[in-house]
Amino acid sequence: MAAPSCSAPGLCGPLLRSLFTLVSKPFCSTAAASRPLDAQQLAEKLRAQKREQKRKEEAVPTDPVQRRVQELVRFTQQLQRIHPNVLAKALSRGILHQDKDLVVINKPYGLPVHGGPGVQLCISEVLPILAKVLHGHKAEPLHLCHRLDKETTGVMVLAWEKEVAHQVQELFRTRQVEKKYWAITVRVPMPSAGVVDIPIIEKEVQGQQQHYKMTLSPSYRMENRKMVKVRTSRNAQIAVTQYQVISSTVSSALVELQPVTGIKHQLRVHLSFGLDCPILGDHKYSDWNRLAPQKLPVGTLKKLGLIQSKARYIPLHLHARQLILPPFGSRKEELQLVCKLPRFFVHSLRRMGLEMPNQDENEHSEARPPGAQ
């Protein structure tokens, strides 16, 4: 087949050159893109990506709501990125009490006691490292004496010897340990002091998201304005909580709680379902039917500097404030253990206009860096 001829000799040269340029550019760029990066170029590319990511993380939003959200997100995620050695050293710097039998730590927020699906870091995993930090490389691992929920902060007792750990566990089991917790509640308990004595049972929640929760299993109910005793489920467990309001506003309160029994999630269930005053940041027990972020009043959100869509980042404000261990073994005197509030808890108290007792105010009066939790 004959090659096509050009009827305009003056245009053929430039036209063919431009056509060759247009056609060849995609092939050239494709070839360049497929050419593998050498080690130096790859390293520089990765460094540039890390610099950009760091710049985005460190950028402080001008909007106070977004700034507060950023603080909460960073706080709730940082624990799972910490190396066990780093965590052990941090725990050692915050030890509340140490002697030949016991080590008492300040348990951080968001750190589970035991491992499980999706758990990257837990207290039990760190105990051998913490023992070596405190007593050298030949030290035997520490032993757990009791447990706290992942979201609960505060006093946690460990023992050097397994026998001592069993003795302390027996004290907890027989209800000889006096425990005091502090919580910030949404709404104010009425009356301001009292006892919640309602059994608790675990039940399956029906709906789109089937799940299990602890809930109340009352021994009495109202019928025709009369209190009638009902048959208690054999799976229900006795649960008793003493409480007292320390400070309150119109819509919130700082409450001291003394659990007489030690049922799973007892304080959260008694406050939310028994007194209709869920703990701030309790996204599980603020609503029985749903697994969803806690729905907060507009006034509370305003004080916290948040909008409802960001409430999911609010941590549970429940703190193991004090433990009193009675004499046991060779110990002749009771041991009082007190743990100061975490920074995020103090920050929320101030935002919500709640006051602490004087001695606790002095304890937390030191200056905090901007954005500190």
Side-chain angles (χ1 to χ4, degrees):
M1 183 182 290
S5 60
C6 181
S7 59
L11 294 176
C12 283
L15 181 61
L16 289 173
R17 280 195 299 272
S18 61
L19 182 60
F20 175 77
T21 303
L22 289 171
V23 172
S24 62
K25 274 185 177 179
F27 286 101
C28 293
S29 60
T30 303
S34 62
R35 188 183 304 128
L37 296 173
D38 59 33
Q40 185 176 356
Q41 290 173 319
L42 182 59
E44 181 56 38
K45 184 177 180 180
L46 291 173
R47 280 195 291 267
Q49 289 175 350
K50 284 185 178 180
R51 284 196 297 268
E52 178 64 18
Q53 182 65 25
K54 188 176 180 181
R55 185 190 66 78
K56 289 180 179 178
E57 289 178 355
E58 292 179 349
V60 180
T62 55
D63 181 11
V65 173
Q66 292 300 324
R67 188 162 59 246
R68 178 64 177 150
V69 169
Q70 186 187 66
E71 292 171 3
L72 290 170
V73 171
R74 185 169 60 246
F75 174 70
T76 54
Q77 293 177 346
Q78 67 186 30
L79 271 173
Q80 294 299 318
R81 295 198 296 263
I82 294 177
H83 191 276
N85 291 353
V86 177
L87 178 59
K89 289 179 181 178
L91 292 175
S92 70
R93 288 193 293 268
I95 283 177
L96 306 174
H97 173 84
Q98 184 179 355
D99 57 36
K100 65 181 180 64
D101 296 319
L102 304 174
V103 174
V104 183
I105 62 172
N106 177 2
K107 180 192 169 299
Y109 172 81
L111 188 64
V113 173
H114 298 288
V119 175
Q120 299 175 12
L121 195 61
C122 62
I123 292 284
S124 57
E125 180 186 343
V126 177
L127 293 185
I129 306 171
L130 179 59
K132 289 178 171 58
V133 170
L134 297 175
H135 274 192
H137 291 289
K138 294 184 179 181
E140 293 294 320
L142 286 155
H143 301 275
L144 293 165
C145 295
H146 63 116
R147 66 182 300 278
L148 291 174
D149 290 341
K150 174 183 174 181
E151 296 88 357
T152 304
T153 58
V155 180
M156 186 162 196
V157 183
L158 311 171
W160 286 110
E161 301 292 337
K162 188 174 287 188
E163 182 182 347
V164 176
H166 288 161
Q167 290 176 355
V168 178
Q169 289 165 5
E170 184 65 13
L171 294 176
F172 276 93
R173 190 187 70 79
T174 55
R175 304 175 188 171
Q176 296 183 60
V177 179
E178 186 176 337
K179 299 169 283 186
K180 292 183 180 180
Y181 290 74
W182 281 8
I184 297 179
T185 61
V186 180
R187 296 184 289 276
V188 183
M190 293 296 290
S192 60
V195 177
V196 182
D197 184 356
I198 307 176
I200 289 177
I201 190 172
E202 187 170 31
K203 286 186 176 180
E204 184 178 6
V205 181
Q206 301 293 334
Q208 293 181 344
Q209 297 174 294
Q210 285 193 338
H211 58 283
Y212 286 87
K213 283 183 182 178
M214 308 302 288
T215 189
L216 301 177
S217 180
S219 303
Y220 294 86
R221 70 169 178 231
M222 293 294 293
E223 282 188 7
N224 300 322
R225 299 183 180 181
K226 292 183 179 180
M227 192 76 74
V228 179
K229 187 173 177 60
V230 297
R231 185 177 178 180
T232 306
S233 169
R234 66 177 63 184
N235 295 322
Q237 297 174 285
I238 295 172
V240 182
T241 304
Q242 296 178 348
Y243 73 91
Q244 181 171 352
V245 175
I246 299 173
S247 173
S248 65
T249 63
V250 174
S251 58
S252 61
L254 172 62
V255 183
E256 182 174 87
L257 304 157
Q258 289 185 254
V260 178
T261 54
I263 307 305
K264 177 183 176 182
H265 297 169
Q266 172 180 321
L267 300 179
R268 298 164 68 178
V269 172
H270 274 173
L271 280 171
S272 186
F273 302 148
L275 294 171
D276 193 28
C277 296
I279 298 174
L280 179 65
D282 193 344
H283 307 292
K284 182 169 186 174
Y285 288 104
S286 291
D287 189 309
W288 165 254
N289 295 307
R290 298 186 306 154
L291 277 177
Q294 185 177 41
K295 189 168 179 60
L296 293 171
V298 175
T300 301
L301 289 169
K302 188 175 180 181
K303 287 179 180 179
L304 293 172
L306 292 173
I307 55 177
Q308 181 57 48
S309 63
K310 305 302 180 183
R312 70 182 68 240
Y313 299 115
I314 299 175
L316 181 72
H317 287 63
L318 179 62
H319 178 68
R321 170 67 179 169
Q322 183 179 29
L323 283 182
I324 301 178
L325 295 176
F328 68 95
S330 61
R331 310 179 77 94
K332 304 301 181 186
E333 297 181 352
E334 69 178 22
L335 181 61
Q336 294 195 29
L337 305 164
V338 180
C339 182
K340 68 179 184 179
L341 296 170
R343 294 180 184 179
F344 76 84
F345 199 117
V346 177
H347 187 76
S348 296
L349 283 174
R350 289 171 179 164
R351 277 184 167 268
M352 298 179 75
L354 295 168
E355 298 178 355
M356 290 184 289
N358 291 334
Q359 66 270 24
D360 300 291
E361 246 176 51
N362 296 333
E363 190 177 282
H364 296 280
S365 62
E366 65 267 22
R368 303 292 186 196
Q373 292 297 320

Coordinates of all heavy atoms in Angstrom, one line a residue, residues 210-275:
Q210 N -26.5 -6.9 67.8 CA -26.7 -7.7 69.0 C -25.5 -7.8 69.8 O -24.4 -8.0 69.3 CB -27.1 -9.1 68.5 CG -28.5 -9.3 68.0 CD -29.0 -10.7 67.9 OE1 -28.1 -11.6 67.7 NE2 -30.3 -10.9 67.9
H211 N -25.6 -7.5 71.1 CA -24.4 -7.5 72.0 C -24.9 -7.7 73.4 O -26.1 -7.8 73.7 CB -23.7 -6.1 71.9 CG -24.6 -5.0 72.2 ND1 -25.5 -4.4 71.3 CD2 -24.7 -4.2 73.4 CE1 -26.1 -3.4 71.9 NE2 -25.7 -3.2 73.1
Y212 N -24.0 -7.9 74.3 CA -24.3 -8.2 75.7 C -23.9 -7.0 76.6 O -22.9 -6.3 76.4 CB -23.6 -9.4 76.2 CG -24.1 -10.7 75.7 CD1 -23.7 -11.2 74.5 CD2 -25.1 -11.4 76.4 CE1 -24.2 -12.4 74.0 CE2 -25.6 -12.6 75.9 CZ -25.2 -13.1 74.7 OH -25.7 -14.2 74.2
K213 N -24.8 -6.7 77.6 CA -24.5 -5.7 78.6 C -25.0 -6.1 80.0 O -25.9 -7.0 80.1 CB -25.3 -4.4 78.2 CG -24.8 -3.6 77.1 CD -25.6 -2.3 76.9 CE -25.1 -1.5 75.8 NZ -26.0 -0.3 75.6
M214 N -24.3 -5.6 81.0 CA -24.8 -5.7 82.3 C -26.0 -4.8 82.5 O -26.0 -3.7 82.0 CB -23.7 -5.4 83.3 CG -22.4 -6.2 83.1 SD -22.6 -8.0 83.1 CE -22.9 -8.3 84.9
T215 N -27.0 -5.2 83.3 CA -28.2 -4.4 83.5 C -28.8 -4.7 84.9 O -28.3 -5.7 85.6 CB -29.2 -4.6 82.4 OG1 -30.2 -3.6 82.6 CG2 -29.9 -5.9 82.5
L216 N -29.7 -4.0 85.3 CA -30.4 -4.2 86.6 C -31.3 -5.3 86.6 O -32.0 -5.6 85.6 CB -31.1 -2.9 87.1 CG -30.3 -1.6 87.2 CD1 -31.2 -0.5 87.5 CD2 -29.2 -1.8 88.2
S217 N -31.4 -6.0 87.7 CA -32.4 -7.1 87.9 C -33.1 -6.9 89.3 O -32.8 -7.6 90.3 CB -31.7 -8.5 87.9 OG -32.6 -9.5 88.1
P218 N -34.0 -5.9 89.3 CA -34.6 -5.5 90.6 C -35.3 -6.6 91.3 O -35.9 -7.5 90.6 CB -35.5 -4.4 90.2 CG -35.1 -3.9 88.9 CD -34.5 -5.1 88.2
S219 N -35.3 -6.6 92.6 CA -36.1 -7.6 93.4 C -37.5 -7.1 93.7 O -38.3 -7.9 94.1 CB -35.4 -7.8 94.8 OG -34.0 -8.2 94.6
Y220 N -37.8 -5.8 93.4 CA -39.1 -5.3 93.6 C -39.6 -4.5 92.3 O -38.7 -4.0 91.6 CB -39.1 -4.4 94.8 CG -38.9 -5.0 96.1 CD1 -37.6 -5.2 96.6 CD2 -39.9 -5.5 96.9 CE1 -37.3 -5.9 97.8 CE2 -39.7 -6.1 98.1 CZ -38.4 -6.3 98.5 OH -38.1 -7.0 99.7
R221 N -40.9 -4.4 92.2 CA -41.4 -3.5 91.2 C -42.8 -2.9 91.7 O -43.4 -3.4 92.6 CB -41.7 -4.3 89.9 CG -42.8 -5.3 89.9 CD -43.1 -5.8 88.5 NE -44.2 -6.8 88.6 CZ -44.1 -8.0 88.0 NH1 -43.0 -8.4 87.4 NH2 -45.1 -8.9 88.1
M222 N -43.2 -1.8 91.0 CA -44.4 -1.1 91.4 C -45.6 -1.7 90.7 O -45.6 -1.9 89.4 CB -44.3 0.4 91.1 CG -43.3 1.1 91.9 SD -43.7 1.2 93.7 CE -45.1 2.2 93.6
E223 N -46.6 -2.1 91.4 CA -47.9 -2.6 90.9 C -49.0 -1.9 91.6 O -49.2 -2.1 92.8 CB -48.0 -4.1 91.0 CG -47.2 -4.9 90.0 CD -47.5 -6.3 90.0 OE1 -48.5 -6.7 90.7 OE2 -46.8 -7.1 89.3
N224 N -49.8 -1.1 90.9 CA -51.0 -0.4 91.5 C -50.5 0.4 92.7 O -51.1 0.4 93.8 CB -52.1 -1.4 91.9 CG -52.6 -2.2 90.8 OD1 -52.8 -1.6 89.6 ND2 -52.9 -3.4 91.0
R225 N -49.4 1.2 92.5 CA -48.8 2.0 93.5 C -48.3 1.3 94.7 O -48.2 1.9 95.8 CB -49.8 3.1 93.9 CG -50.3 4.0 92.7 CD -51.2 5.1 93.2 NE -51.6 5.9 92.1 CZ -52.4 7.0 92.3 NH1 -52.9 7.3 93.5 NH2 -52.8 7.7 91.2
K226 N -48.1 0.0 94.6 CA -47.6 -0.8 95.7 C -46.3 -1.4 95.3 O -46.1 -1.9 94.2 CB -48.6 -1.8 96.2 CG -49.8 -1.2 96.8 CD -50.8 -2.4 97.3 CE -52.0 -1.8 98.0 NZ -52.9 -2.9 98.5
M227 N -45.4 -1.6 96.3 CA -44.1 -2.2 96.0 C -44.3 -3.8 96.2 O -44.8 -4.2 97.2 CB -43.1 -1.8 97.0 CG -41.7 -2.2 96.7 SD -40.9 -1.2 95.3 CE -40.6 0.3 96.2
V228 N -44.0 -4.5 95.1 CA -44.3 -5.9 95.1 C -42.9 -6.6 94.8 O -42.2 -6.3 93.9 CB -45.3 -6.3 93.9 CG1 -45.5 -7.8 93.9 CG2 -46.6 -5.6 94.1
K229 N -42.6 -7.6 95.6 CA -41.4 -8.4 95.5 C -41.6 -9.4 94.3 O -42.6 -10.0 94.2 CB -41.1 -9.2 96.8 CG -39.7 -9.9 96.7 CD -39.4 -10.5 98.1 CE -38.1 -11.3 98.1 NZ -36.9 -10.4 97.7
V230 N -40.5 -9.4 93.5 CA -40.6 -10.3 92.3 C -39.5 -11.4 92.5 O -38.6 -11.3 93.2 CB -40.3 -9.5 91.0 CG1 -41.4 -8.5 90.8 CG2 -38.9 -8.8 91.0
R231 N -39.7 -12.4 91.7 CA -38.7 -13.5 91.7 C -37.4 -13.1 91.1 O -37.4 -12.7 89.9 CB -39.3 -14.8 91.0 CG -38.5 -16.0 91.2 CD -39.1 -17.2 90.5 NE -38.3 -18.4 90.6 CZ -38.7 -19.6 90.1 NH1 -39.9 -19.7 89.5 NH2 -37.9 -20.6 90.2
T232 N -36.3 -13.3 91.8 CA -35.0 -12.8 91.2 C -34.4 -13.9 90.4 O -34.5 -15.1 90.7 CB -34.1 -12.5 92.4 OG1 -34.7 -11.6 93.2 CG2 -32.8 -12.0 91.8
S233 N -33.8 -13.5 89.2 CA -33.2 -14.5 88.3 C -32.0 -15.2 89.1 O -31.3 -14.5 89.8 CB -32.7 -13.8 87.1 OG -31.8 -14.7 86.4
R234 N -31.8 -16.5 88.8 CA -30.7 -17.2 89.5 C -29.4 -16.7 89.0 O -28.4 -16.9 89.7 CB -30.9 -18.7 89.2 CG -30.7 -19.1 87.8 CD -30.8 -20.6 87.6 NE -32.1 -21.1 88.0 CZ -32.4 -22.4 88.0 NH1 -31.5 -23.3 87.6 NH2 -33.6 -22.8 88.3
N235 N -29.4 -16.0 87.8 CA -28.1 -15.5 87.3 C -27.8 -14.1 87.8 O -26.7 -13.6 87.6 CB -28.1 -15.5 85.8 CG -28.2 -16.9 85.2 OD1 -27.6 -17.8 85.7 ND2 -29.0 -17.0 84.1
A236 N -28.7 -13.4 88.5 CA -28.5 -12.1 89.0 C -27.5 -12.1 90.2 O -27.5 -13.1 91.0 CB -29.8 -11.5 89.4
Q237 N -26.7 -11.1 90.3 CA -25.7 -11.0 91.3 C -26.0 -9.8 92.2 O -26.3 -8.7 91.7 CB -24.3 -10.9 90.8 CG -23.8 -12.1 89.9 CD -22.5 -11.9 89.2 OE1 -22.4 -11.1 88.3 NE2 -21.5 -12.5 89.8
I238 N -25.8 -10.0 93.5 CA -26.0 -8.9 94.5 C -25.0 -7.8 94.2 O -23.8 -8.1 94.0 CB -25.9 -9.4 95.9 CG1 -27.0 -10.4 96.3 CG2 -25.9 -8.3 96.9 CD1 -26.8 -11.1 97.6
A239 N -25.5 -6.6 94.1 CA -24.6 -5.4 93.9 C -25.1 -4.3 94.7 O -26.2 -3.8 94.7 CB -24.7 -5.1 92.4
V240 N -24.1 -3.7 95.5 CA -24.4 -2.6 96.4 C -23.4 -1.5 96.2 O -22.2 -1.8 96.3 CB -24.4 -3.1 97.9 CG1 -24.8 -1.9 98.8 CG2 -25.4 -4.3 98.1
T241 N -23.8 -0.3 96.1 CA -23.0 0.9 95.9 C -23.4 2.0 96.8 O -24.6 2.4 96.7 CB -23.0 1.3 94.4 OG1 -22.6 0.2 93.5 CG2 -22.0 2.5 94.2
Q242 N -22.5 2.5 97.6 CA -22.7 3.8 98.3 C -22.2 4.9 97.5 O -21.2 4.8 96.7 CB -22.0 3.8 99.7 CG -22.4 2.7 100.6 CD -21.6 2.7 101.9 OE1 -20.6 3.4 102.0 NE2 -22.1 2.0 102.9
Y243 N -22.9 6.0 97.5 CA -22.5 7.2 96.7 C -22.8 8.5 97.5 O -23.6 8.6 98.4 CB -23.2 7.2 95.4 CG -24.7 7.7 95.5 CD1 -25.1 9.0 95.3 CD2 -25.7 6.7 95.7 CE1 -26.4 9.4 95.4 CE2 -27.0 7.1 95.8 CZ -27.4 8.4 95.7 OH -28.7 8.8 95.8
Q244 N -22.0 9.5 97.1 CA -22.2 10.9 97.7 C -21.7 11.9 96.7 O -20.6 11.8 96.1 CB -21.4 11.0 99.0 CG -21.6 12.4 99.6 CD -21.0 12.4 101.1 OE1 -20.6 11.4 101.6 NE2 -21.0 13.6 101.6
V245 N -22.5 12.9 96.5 CA -22.2 14.0 95.6 C -21.2 14.9 96.3 O -21.4 15.4 97.4 CB -23.4 14.8 95.1 CG1 -23.0 16.0 94.3 CG2 -24.4 13.9 94.4
I246 N -20.0 15.1 95.7 CA -19.0 16.0 96.2 C -19.2 17.5 95.8 O -19.1 18.4 96.5 CB -17.6 15.5 95.8 CG1 -17.3 14.1 96.3 CG2 -16.5 16.5 96.3 CD1 -16.0 13.5 95.8
S247 N -19.5 17.6 94.5 CA -19.8 18.9 93.9 C -20.8 18.8 92.7 O -20.8 17.7 92.1 CB -18.4 19.5 93.4 OG -18.7 20.7 92.7
S248 N -21.6 19.8 92.5 CA -22.5 19.7 91.4 C -22.8 21.1 90.8 O -22.7 22.1 91.4 CB -23.8 19.1 91.9 OG -24.5 19.9 92.9
T249 N -23.3 21.0 89.5 CA -23.9 22.2 88.9 C -25.3 21.8 88.5 O -25.8 20.7 89.0 CB -23.1 22.5 87.6 OG1 -23.2 21.4 86.7 CG2 -21.6 22.8 87.9
V250 N -26.0 22.5 87.7 CA -27.3 22.2 87.3 C -27.4 20.9 86.5 O -28.3 20.1 86.6 CB -28.0 23.3 86.4 CG1 -29.3 22.9 85.9 CG2 -28.0 24.6 87.2
S251 N -26.3 20.6 85.7 CA -26.4 19.5 84.8 C -25.3 18.4 85.0 O -25.3 17.5 84.2 CB -26.3 20.0 83.3 OG -25.1 20.7 83.2
S252 N -24.5 18.5 86.0 CA -23.4 17.5 86.1 C -23.0 17.5 87.6 O -23.3 18.4 88.4 CB -22.2 17.9 85.3 OG -21.7 19.2 85.6
A253 N -22.2 16.4 87.9 CA -21.8 16.3 89.3 C -20.5 15.5 89.4 O -20.2 14.7 88.5 CB -22.9 15.6 90.1
L254 N -19.7 15.8 90.4 CA -18.6 15.0 90.8 C -19.0 14.1 92.0 O -19.5 14.6 93.0 CB -17.4 15.9 91.3 CG -16.2 15.1 91.9 CD1 -15.6 14.2 90.9 CD2 -15.1 16.1 92.4
V255 N -19.0 12.8 91.8 CA -19.6 11.9 92.7 C -18.5 10.9 93.3 O -17.7 10.4 92.5 CB -20.7 11.0 92.1 CG1 -21.4 10.1 93.1 CG2 -21.7 12.0 91.4
E256 N -18.5 10.7 94.6 CA -17.7 9.7 95.2 C -18.5 8.4 95.4 O -19.6 8.4 95.9 CB -17.2 10.1 96.6 CG -16.2 9.1 97.2 CD -15.6 9.6 98.5 OE1 -16.2 9.4 99.6 OE2 -14.5 10.2 98.4
L257 N -17.9 7.3 94.9 CA -18.6 6.0 94.9 C -17.8 5.0 95.7 O -16.6 4.9 95.6 CB -18.7 5.5 93.5 CG -19.4 6.4 92.5 CD1 -19.0 6.1 91.1 CD2 -20.9 6.3 92.6
Q258 N -18.5 4.2 96.6 CA -17.9 3.2 97.3 C -18.6 1.8 97.1 O -19.7 1.6 97.6 CB -17.9 3.5 98.8 CG -17.0 4.6 99.3 CD -17.0 4.8 100.8 OE1 -17.6 5.7 101.3 NE2 -16.4 3.9 101.5
P259 N -18.1 1.0 96.2 CA -18.7 -0.3 95.9 C -18.5 -1.2 97.0 O -17.4 -1.5 97.4 CB -18.0 -0.7 94.6 CG -16.6 -0.1 94.7 CD -16.8 1.2 95.4
V260 N -19.6 -1.7 97.6 CA -19.5 -2.7 98.6 C -19.2 -4.1 98.0 O -18.5 -4.9 98.6 CB -20.8 -2.8 99.4 CG1 -20.8 -3.8 100.5 CG2 -21.1 -1.4 100.0
T261 N -19.8 -4.3 96.9 CA -19.6 -5.6 96.1 C -18.7 -5.2 94.9 O -18.4 -4.1 94.6 CB -20.9 -6.2 95.6 OG1 -21.6 -5.2 94.9 CG2 -21.7 -6.7 96.8
G262 N -18.3 -6.2 94.2 CA -17.4 -6.0 93.0 C -17.9 -6.7 91.8 O -17.2 -7.5 91.2
I263 N -19.1 -6.4 91.3 CA -19.6 -7.0 90.1 C -19.2 -6.2 88.9 O -18.9 -5.0 88.9 CB -21.2 -6.9 90.2 CG1 -21.7 -7.6 91.5 CG2 -21.8 -7.7 89.0 CD1 -21.2 -9.0 91.7
K264 N -19.0 -6.9 87.8 CA -18.6 -6.3 86.5 C -19.4 -5.1 86.2 O -20.6 -5.2 86.1 CB -18.6 -7.4 85.4 CG -18.3 -6.9 84.0 CD -18.5 -8.0 83.0 CE -18.2 -7.5 81.6 NZ -18.4 -8.6 80.6
H265 N -18.7 -4.0 85.9 CA -19.4 -2.7 85.5 C -20.4 -2.2 86.5 O -21.3 -1.5 86.1 CB -20.0 -2.9 84.1 CG -19.0 -3.2 83.0 ND1 -19.3 -3.6 81.7 CD2 -17.6 -3.2 83.0 CE1 -18.3 -3.8 81.0 NE2 -17.2 -3.5 81.8
Q266 N -20.3 -2.6 87.7 CA -21.3 -2.3 88.7 C -21.5 -0.8 88.9 O -22.7 -0.3 88.8 CB -20.9 -2.8 90.1 CG -21.7 -2.4 91.3 CD -21.2 -2.9 92.6 OE1 -20.8 -4.1 92.6 NE2 -21.2 -2.1 93.6
L267 N -20.5 0.0 89.0 CA -20.6 1.5 89.2 C -21.3 2.1 88.0 O -22.2 3.0 88.1 CB -19.3 2.1 89.4 CG -18.5 1.6 90.7 CD1 -17.2 2.3 90.8 CD2 -19.4 1.8 91.9
R268 N -20.9 1.7 86.8 CA -21.5 2.3 85.6 C -23.0 2.0 85.4 O -23.8 2.8 85.0 CB -20.7 1.8 84.3 CG -19.2 2.2 84.4 CD -18.4 1.4 83.4 NE -18.7 1.7 82.0 CZ -18.0 1.1 81.0 NH1 -17.0 0.2 81.2 NH2 -18.3 1.4 79.8
V269 N -23.3 0.7 85.8 CA -24.7 0.3 85.7 C -25.6 1.0 86.7 O -26.7 1.5 86.4 CB -24.8 -1.2 85.8 CG1 -26.3 -1.7 85.9 CG2 -24.2 -1.9 84.6
H270 N -25.1 1.0 88.0 CA -25.9 1.6 89.0 C -26.1 3.1 88.8 O -27.2 3.7 89.1 CB -25.2 1.4 90.4 CG -25.6 0.1 91.0 ND1 -25.0 -0.4 92.2 CD2 -26.5 -0.8 90.7 CE1 -25.5 -1.5 92.5 NE2 -26.4 -1.8 91.6
L271 N -25.1 3.8 88.3 CA -25.2 5.2 88.0 C -26.2 5.5 86.8 O -27.1 6.3 86.9 CB -23.9 5.9 87.7 CG -23.0 6.2 89.0 CD1 -21.6 6.7 88.6 CD2 -23.7 7.3 89.8
S272 N -26.0 4.7 85.7 CA -26.8 5.0 84.5 C -28.2 4.5 84.6 O -29.1 5.3 84.4 CB -26.1 4.4 83.3 OG -26.7 4.7 82.1
F273 N -28.4 3.3 85.0 CA -29.7 2.7 85.0 C -30.4 2.8 86.4 O -31.7 2.8 86.5 CB -29.7 1.2 84.6 CG -29.1 1.0 83.3 CD1 -28.3 -0.2 83.0 CD2 -29.2 1.9 82.2 CE1 -27.8 -0.4 81.7 CE2 -28.7 1.7 81.0 CZ -27.9 0.6 80.7
G274 N -29.6 2.9 87.5 CA -30.2 3.0 88.8 C -30.5 4.5 89.2 O -31.6 4.7 89.7
L275 N -29.6 5.4 88.9 CA -29.8 6.8 89.3 C -30.1 7.7 88.1 O -30.3 8.9 88.3 CB -28.5 7.3 90.0 CG -28.3 6.6 91.4 CD1 -26.9 7.0 91.9 CD2 -29.4 7.0 92.4

